[in-house]
Amino acid sequence: MAGIDHKIRLVVLISGRGSNLQAILDGATSGVLPVEIRAVISNRPDAYGLERARQAGVPTAVVDHTAFPDRQTFEAALRQRIDAERPELVILAGFMRILSAGFVEHYRGRLLNIHPSLLPKYRGLHTHERALAAGEREHGASVHFVIPELDSGPVIVQARAPVLPDDDPDTLAARVLAREHRIYPLAIRWFAEGRVRMQGDNVLFDGQLLTSSRLLEDEQE
């Protein structure tokens, strides 16, 4: 198990503005997250998250998917760049590319994603619009281990957000995003401290099988 003085090597993959990345950068800078962010890698050269990383003094790289003839060669280049940092954990923070089963399996048990819904509800895109159309009273976000099936990996932690009568997709998204900024660093810290691990298709938390996802509202840590 990682000790409190041990910093794990972390690589973050992004495609856009990087608001969840900023929460992770802030946690690393403050010492709340026992991580060494070895690189922030984007598939888009214009991603604003790259500037966030530079301002924090974190190395950046671009592996532009449009420069490759197919997904296989793109993923080979991306994997080579990631593995150069010998990461103990890889984070998807708004990385908008579907990854192949082979890529995901290479990082099995050390690849996390955050999804803007209370999984298993609303896998895929347009989660806020779909939640509103369904008349949901509660929405939220989930951090999960990544497996080849889209948004189907075992969930580590979730946070609820109320759906208000006058919500539109933008206002609901903003409310959910605030929860994302809390639970992603929390899940990363648990992993770095050795408290959370993937075993088979399940999550172990403090060595015990996690039979239901941990809700942030229930956590006082």
Side-chain angles (χ1 to χ4, degrees), residues 63 68 70-80 98-104:
V63 182
F68 297 89
D70 52 40
R71 184 169 69 170
Q72 182 179 1
T73 54
F74 162 66
E75 287 190 355
L78 179 60
R79 175 172 158 175
Q80 181 179 38
I98 294 177
L99 298 167
S100 70
F103 185 96
V104 170

Side-chain angles (χ1 to χ4, degrees), residues 143-221:
V143 180
H144 65 94
F145 284 103
V146 179
I147 63 174
E149 292 74 25
L150 182 66
D151 300 328
S152 297
V155 173
I156 300 167
V157 61
Q158 295 180 315
R160 299 185 182 105
V163 179
L164 304 182
D166 59 348
D167 267 333
D168 60 30
D170 290 336
T171 58
L172 183 56
R175 192 174 306 115
V176 170
L177 189 62
R179 272 77 172 171
E180 292 182 33
H181 295 166
R182 292 157 58 195
I183 63 174
Y184 217 176
L186 182 63
I188 292 167
R189 177 164 65 87
W190 284 341
F191 185 96
E193 293 173 344
R195 300 186 65 189
V196 64
R197 287 290 181 268
M198 183 176 173
Q199 184 178 75
D201 294 326
N202 300 300
V203 172
L204 292 182
F205 190 90
D206 288 342
Q208 301 297 314
L209 184 66
L210 191 63
T211 55
S212 62
S213 59
R214 302 178 70 90
L215 291 169
L216 178 61
E217 290 85 351
D218 299 332
E219 291 300 322
Q220 302 301 318
E221 301 173 65

